[in-house]
Amino acid sequence: MEFELNREQKEIQKAAREFARGEFDRELALELDKSHEFPKKIWRKAGELGFIGIHYPEAYSGQGLGVLENIIVADEFCAQDSSIGSAVILSSFASECVLRFGSEDLKQKFLPPVAEGKMLSGGAFTEPGHGSDITYLDTTAARDGDEWVINGTKTFITNGGLAGFYCVLCQTDPESSPPYRGISMILVEADREGVSAADVGDKMGIHLMATAEVNFKDVRVPAANLIGEEGRGFYQVLEFFDESRILVAAQALGIGQGAYDRALAYVKEREQFGKKIAQFQVTQHKLADMATKLELARLITYKAAWNYDQGRIDPKLTSMAKMYAARTAVEVADEAIQLLGGYGYMTEYEVERFYRDAKITEIYEGTKEIQKNTIASAVLGKFK
Ligand SMILES: Cc1cc2nc3c(=O)[nH]c(=O)nc-3n(C[C@H](O)[C@H](O)[C@H](O)COP(=O)(O)OP(=O)(O)OC[C@H]3O[C@@H](n4cnc5c(N)ncnc54)[C@H](O)[C@@H]3O)c2cc1C
């Protein structure tokens, strides 16, 4: 059993850490958190330097590396800043649907601009009436000659309104039984006639990321925009989750780590009752618990990524990593606020923002309850 990153992975880790330290400015993060703006300049630079789509083949402007290398970057970026890090690592959200299932034409056209930091992508799966349960959808795509005609509304779409394209789950056969066998995935360019996006409104955290309702009204796209196979969209999105949930686990892990680092530095400086607060045993025990949870979250997240790169797709392990890392992020960020006392509650000290940014990792890409359902069904198997 080998737990060491190899030399190349350590170099990527170091490069990602140095880039984030140099670019993820604290004041800028506070400002963008208030103005709810996407960190465009940093995203572009991250793309130019090869931090986005590191897991794409070189032919599509990637670096030919794996999910593990991608999550090393995510971990480092989010630890340096929960808001900027999250926005940059999810700038390519759902592009893996094109990477894993798309035609050569779609890959060549859409993956390089995403990896180069020139285009954002989005995954449009959730609908107002279908969130955790996407086994049937109200968004339809009907075949008309050599085109698809798409109608429907998707909600809570990350990068909505900014993305160049969306991977949209559509009901292509409403009569299909079970209905999920009639779901397909179609790439829709955001500038097609009939596509519109509207912000969903104020949210708790991840203010640097757009979250929109995306509407499709008689949107026509070429038949060749089908991603993968007709009627396989539901299965494809489940496979995509096996990869994307590891990235969300890494996002959570980084956020937890960043909150912990800030609390650790603070307790060594702050004095009360004539002592550094780090000298109180209760503080030490809190730090011990936080450090242990982060270690466990890192082990399972990196294992899930490594496992994926070995070609072993294991939804149970992925869900365990996502569920555990997300809970850890929320708990560690909460404790970090506590350790900073009243200052922890103040925006300037950052940990409250890390806490707000952490919570989403227990909700999107499948809530923690849905992760538990996946784990439980794998553990129990079929029984009567
Ligand atoms: C900021 C943000 C960004 C998002 N980004 C995207 C995106 O880019 N693309 C996209 O398609 N979606 C996105 N989502 C949507 C997200 O994936 C859904 O919100 C999530 O899957 C839950 O769906 P829901 O909100 O409809 O909740 P519901 O499914 O209505 O769930 C409500 C509650 O019931 C529980 N529940 C539901 N079913 C079960 C069950 N079988 N067993 C036990 N408990 C259950 C849930 O766990 C939850 O606690 C985003 C959401 C947010 C808030």
Side-chain angles (χ1 to χ4, degrees), residues 37 45 51 111 124 151 163 166 188 193-194 201 206 215 217-218 221 227 280 310 323 331:
E37 266 175 85
K45 208 161 179 185
F51 289 116
L111 295 179
N151 278 289
Y166 305 100
V188 181
E193 205 183 324
I206 55 165
N215 194 266
K217 189 162 183 343
D218 294 326
V221 299
I227 299 173
F280 299 126
Q310 306 307 307
M323 177 185 77
E331 288 176 359

Side-chain angles (χ1 to χ4, degrees), residues 93 123 125-126 131-132 156-158 206 360 363-364 367 369 373:
F93 182 64
F125 316 131
T126 304
S132 299
F156 291 139
I157 306 309
T158 296
I206 55 165
I360 191 60
I363 297 172
Y364 64 15
T367 61
E369 292 77 18
N373 289 352

